[in-house]
Amino acid sequence: MFVRVLGIHPGLTRCGYGLIAVQERRQVNFEANGVLTTSKENSITLRLKEMHFDLNELISELKPDVIAIEKVYFQSNVSSAISVAQVSGIVHSVASRYGIDVSEYTPTQIKNAITSDGKADKIQIQQMVVRM
């Protein structure tokens, strides 16, 4: 089994992504990563248009089999959650255009899958990703 997974950390100012290929026996190969950005100086409408264009180009170029994104949640910063939700919607829209399934995961689920600890900090996650 060979699956190309595009992980996207949605955000309007910075939208991070990484592409891995999962081979048989769960061997994982890193293929690409980067950050899509928009300027805070531009209107929300223009920024969403730019992000839509960039995500369309990215997905068209990388041709993932599935996409995984961070599930939108917020604790105190509602405006940040709204822009993350807007970009998440763009991801779903573009993915549906290409017939690609999108799965959403909470930060706790992601941390638990990588480190077996849903409360792991960024250093622990980085160390485990390098080991994997």
Side-chain angles (χ1 to χ4, degrees):
M1 180 171 116
F2 175 80
V3 178
R4 292 167 50 92
V5 180
L6 177 61
I8 297 178
H9 188 269
L12 191 53
T13 303
R14 291 180 314 277
C15 180
Y17 67 89
L19 181 71
I20 59 170
V22 182
Q23 314 262 341
E24 289 183 28
R25 297 184 203 117
R26 297 187 64 149
Q27 178 183 347
V28 177
N29 294 323
F30 165 80
E31 293 196 359
N33 74 311
V35 178
L36 305 174
T37 61
T38 64
S39 173
K40 290 181 181 180
E41 306 299 317
N42 293 335
S43 70
I44 296 295
T45 302
L46 180 58
R47 293 173 72 194
L48 290 170
K49 178 183 174 184
E50 289 174 16
M51 190 57 69
H52 185 276
F53 177 83
D54 290 346
L55 284 166
N56 187 65
E57 289 291 309
L58 179 73
I59 292 169
S60 174
E61 177 185 326
L62 297 180
K63 296 176 178 44
D65 297 306
V66 295
I67 296 175
I69 62 173
E70 184 175 342
K71 190 173 216 168
V72 178
Y73 81 101
F74 71 95
Q75 292 176 322
S76 61
N77 192 343
V78 176
S79 63
S80 175
I82 290 170
S83 65
V84 169
Q86 289 170 320
V87 174
S88 293
I90 292 171
V91 172
H92 281 277
S93 176
V94 172
S96 71
R97 179 175 179 220
Y98 292 98
I100 300 170
D101 289 332
V102 177
S103 296
E104 296 183 338
Y105 301 95
T106 65
T108 302
Q109 288 174 307
I110 296 166
K111 291 174 184 181
N112 195 46
I114 294 171
T115 67
S116 298
D117 179 3
K119 296 179 181 177
D121 62 26
K122 289 184 181 188
I123 299 297
Q124 291 171 304
I125 295 166
Q126 288 172 347
Q127 290 172 344
M128 187 57 79
V129 168
V130 168
R131 287 167 66 190
M132 292 167 88

Short mmCIF file of all heavy atoms in Angstrom, two decimals, residues 88-111:
data_model
loop_
_atom_site.label_atom_id
_atom_site.label_comp_id
_atom_site.label_asym_id
_atom_site.label_seq_id
_atom_site.Cartn_x
_atom_site.Cartn_y
_atom_site.Cartn_z
N SER A 88 -9.71 26.44 6.55
CA SER A 88 -10.12 25.03 6.56
C SER A 88 -11.21 24.78 5.53
O SER A 88 -11.20 23.77 4.83
CB SER A 88 -10.62 24.62 7.95
OG SER A 88 -9.58 24.64 8.88
N GLY A 89 -12.14 25.72 5.42
CA GLY A 89 -13.20 25.61 4.42
C GLY A 89 -12.65 25.61 3.01
O GLY A 89 -13.12 24.87 2.15
N ILE A 90 -11.63 26.44 2.79
CA ILE A 90 -10.99 26.47 1.47
C ILE A 90 -10.35 25.12 1.18
O ILE A 90 -10.46 24.59 0.06
CB ILE A 90 -9.96 27.61 1.37
CG1 ILE A 90 -10.66 28.96 1.42
CG2 ILE A 90 -9.12 27.49 0.10
CD1 ILE A 90 -9.71 30.15 1.56
N VAL A 91 -9.66 24.55 2.17
CA VAL A 91 -9.03 23.23 1.98
C VAL A 91 -10.09 22.21 1.57
O VAL A 91 -9.90 21.46 0.61
CB VAL A 91 -8.28 22.77 3.25
CG1 VAL A 91 -7.80 21.33 3.09
CG2 VAL A 91 -7.10 23.69 3.54
N HIS A 92 -11.19 22.17 2.30
CA HIS A 92 -12.27 21.22 1.98
C HIS A 92 -12.80 21.45 0.56
O HIS A 92 -13.03 20.50 -0.20
CB HIS A 92 -13.41 21.33 2.98
CG HIS A 92 -13.16 20.64 4.28
ND1 HIS A 92 -13.37 19.29 4.46
CD2 HIS A 92 -12.70 21.12 5.47
CE1 HIS A 92 -13.06 18.97 5.70
NE2 HIS A 92 -12.66 20.05 6.33
N SER A 93 -12.99 22.70 0.20
CA SER A 93 -13.53 23.03 -1.11
C SER A 93 -12.59 22.60 -2.24
O SER A 93 -13.01 21.96 -3.21
CB SER A 93 -13.79 24.54 -1.19
OG SER A 93 -14.22 24.91 -2.47
N VAL A 94 -11.32 22.95 -2.10
CA VAL A 94 -10.35 22.60 -3.15
C VAL A 94 -10.18 21.08 -3.22
O VAL A 94 -10.13 20.51 -4.31
CB VAL A 94 -8.99 23.31 -2.91
CG1 VAL A 94 -7.93 22.81 -3.87
CG2 VAL A 94 -9.15 24.82 -3.03
N ALA A 95 -10.10 20.44 -2.07
CA ALA A 95 -9.94 18.98 -2.05
C ALA A 95 -11.12 18.30 -2.75
O ALA A 95 -10.92 17.34 -3.51
CB ALA A 95 -9.81 18.48 -0.62
N SER A 96 -12.33 18.80 -2.52
CA SER A 96 -13.50 18.17 -3.14
C SER A 96 -13.45 18.31 -4.65
O SER A 96 -13.90 17.42 -5.38
CB SER A 96 -14.80 18.76 -2.59
OG SER A 96 -14.99 20.08 -3.04
N ARG A 97 -12.86 19.39 -5.12
CA ARG A 97 -12.70 19.60 -6.57
C ARG A 97 -11.87 18.49 -7.20
O ARG A 97 -12.08 18.09 -8.35
CB ARG A 97 -12.05 20.96 -6.82
CG ARG A 97 -11.82 21.27 -8.26
CD ARG A 97 -11.28 22.67 -8.42
NE ARG A 97 -11.05 22.93 -9.82
CZ ARG A 97 -10.02 23.59 -10.28
NH1 ARG A 97 -9.15 24.11 -9.47
NH2 ARG A 97 -9.87 23.76 -11.58
N TYR A 98 -10.88 17.99 -6.44
CA TYR A 98 -9.99 16.94 -6.93
C TYR A 98 -10.41 15.55 -6.46
O TYR A 98 -9.71 14.57 -6.71
CB TYR A 98 -8.54 17.22 -6.49
CG TYR A 98 -7.95 18.43 -7.17
CD1 TYR A 98 -7.94 19.67 -6.54
CD2 TYR A 98 -7.43 18.35 -8.45
CE1 TYR A 98 -7.40 20.78 -7.15
CE2 TYR A 98 -6.90 19.46 -9.08
CZ TYR A 98 -6.89 20.67 -8.43
OH TYR A 98 -6.36 21.78 -9.06
N GLY A 99 -11.52 15.46 -5.74
CA GLY A 99 -11.99 14.17 -5.26
C GLY A 99 -11.13 13.58 -4.15
O GLY A 99 -11.02 12.36 -4.02
N ILE A 100 -10.54 14.44 -3.34
CA ILE A 100 -9.64 14.00 -2.27
C ILE A 100 -10.36 14.10 -0.93
O ILE A 100 -10.95 15.13 -0.60
CB ILE A 100 -8.36 14.87 -2.24
CG1 ILE A 100 -7.61 14.76 -3.57
CG2 ILE A 100 -7.46 14.47 -1.08
CD1 ILE A 100 -6.48 15.75 -3.73
N ASP A 101 -10.31 13.02 -0.15
CA ASP A 101 -10.91 13.03 1.18
C ASP A 101 -10.07 13.86 2.15
O ASP A 101 -8.83 13.84 2.09
CB ASP A 101 -11.01 11.60 1.74
CG ASP A 101 -12.07 10.77 1.02
OD1 ASP A 101 -13.04 11.37 0.50
OD2 ASP A 101 -11.92 9.54 0.97
N VAL A 102 -10.76 14.57 3.04
CA VAL A 102 -10.11 15.38 4.07
C VAL A 102 -10.53 14.85 5.43
O VAL A 102 -11.72 14.63 5.67
CB VAL A 102 -10.50 16.87 3.96
CG1 VAL A 102 -9.87 17.68 5.09
CG2 VAL A 102 -10.11 17.44 2.60
N SER A 103 -9.56 14.62 6.30
CA SER A 103 -9.84 14.22 7.68
C SER A 103 -9.34 15.32 8.60
O SER A 103 -8.30 15.92 8.35
CB SER A 103 -9.12 12.91 8.02
OG SER A 103 -9.61 11.87 7.22
N GLU A 104 -10.10 15.57 9.66
CA GLU A 104 -9.72 16.59 10.64
C GLU A 104 -9.32 15.92 11.95
O GLU A 104 -9.97 14.96 12.39
CB GLU A 104 -10.88 17.55 10.89
CG GLU A 104 -11.26 18.35 9.67
CD GLU A 104 -12.37 19.35 9.97
OE1 GLU A 104 -13.13 19.15 10.94
OE2 GLU A 104 -12.47 20.34 9.23
N TYR A 105 -8.27 16.44 12.57
CA TYR A 105 -7.76 15.90 13.83
C TYR A 105 -7.50 17.03 14.80
O TYR A 105 -6.99 18.08 14.42
CB TYR A 105 -6.46 15.12 13.59
CG TYR A 105 -6.64 13.98 12.63
CD1 TYR A 105 -6.35 14.14 11.27
CD2 TYR A 105 -7.11 12.74 13.06
CE1 TYR A 105 -6.54 13.10 10.37
CE2 TYR A 105 -7.29 11.70 12.16
CZ TYR A 105 -7.00 11.89 10.82
OH TYR A 105 -7.18 10.85 9.94
N THR A 106 -7.82 16.81 16.07
CA THR A 106 -7.53 17.81 17.09
C THR A 106 -6.03 17.78 17.40
O THR A 106 -5.36 16.76 17.16
CB THR A 106 -8.30 17.52 18.39
OG1 THR A 106 -7.83 16.29 18.95
CG2 THR A 106 -9.80 17.47 18.15
N PRO A 107 -5.51 18.86 17.95
CA PRO A 107 -4.09 18.85 18.35
C PRO A 107 -3.77 17.69 19.30
O PRO A 107 -2.71 17.07 19.19
CB PRO A 107 -3.91 20.21 19.03
CG PRO A 107 -4.91 21.08 18.36
CD PRO A 107 -6.11 20.18 18.14
N THR A 108 -4.68 17.39 20.21
CA THR A 108 -4.45 16.28 21.14
C THR A 108 -4.35 14.95 20.41
O THR A 108 -3.47 14.13 20.72
CB THR A 108 -5.58 16.23 22.19
OG1 THR A 108 -5.63 17.49 22.88
CG2 THR A 108 -5.35 15.12 23.20
N GLN A 109 -5.20 14.72 19.41
CA GLN A 109 -5.13 13.48 18.63
C GLN A 109 -3.81 13.39 17.88
O GLN A 109 -3.20 12.31 17.81
CB GLN A 109 -6.29 13.43 17.63
CG GLN A 109 -7.64 13.17 18.24
CD GLN A 109 -8.75 13.27 17.20
OE1 GLN A 109 -8.86 14.27 16.49
NE2 GLN A 109 -9.56 12.22 17.11
N ILE A 110 -3.36 14.49 17.32
CA ILE A 110 -2.11 14.51 16.56
C ILE A 110 -0.93 14.22 17.48
O ILE A 110 -0.08 13.37 17.18
CB ILE A 110 -1.93 15.85 15.84
CG1 ILE A 110 -3.03 16.03 14.79
CG2 ILE A 110 -0.54 15.95 15.20
CD1 ILE A 110 -3.16 17.45 14.26
N LYS A 111 -0.89 14.89 18.62
CA LYS A 111 0.19 14.69 19.58
C LYS A 111 0.21 13.24 20.08
O LYS A 111 1.27 12.63 20.21
CB LYS A 111 0.04 15.64 20.76
CG LYS A 111 0.28 17.08 20.42
CD LYS A 111 -0.03 17.97 21.61
CE LYS A 111 0.09 19.43 21.25
NZ LYS A 111 -0.20 20.29 22.43
#
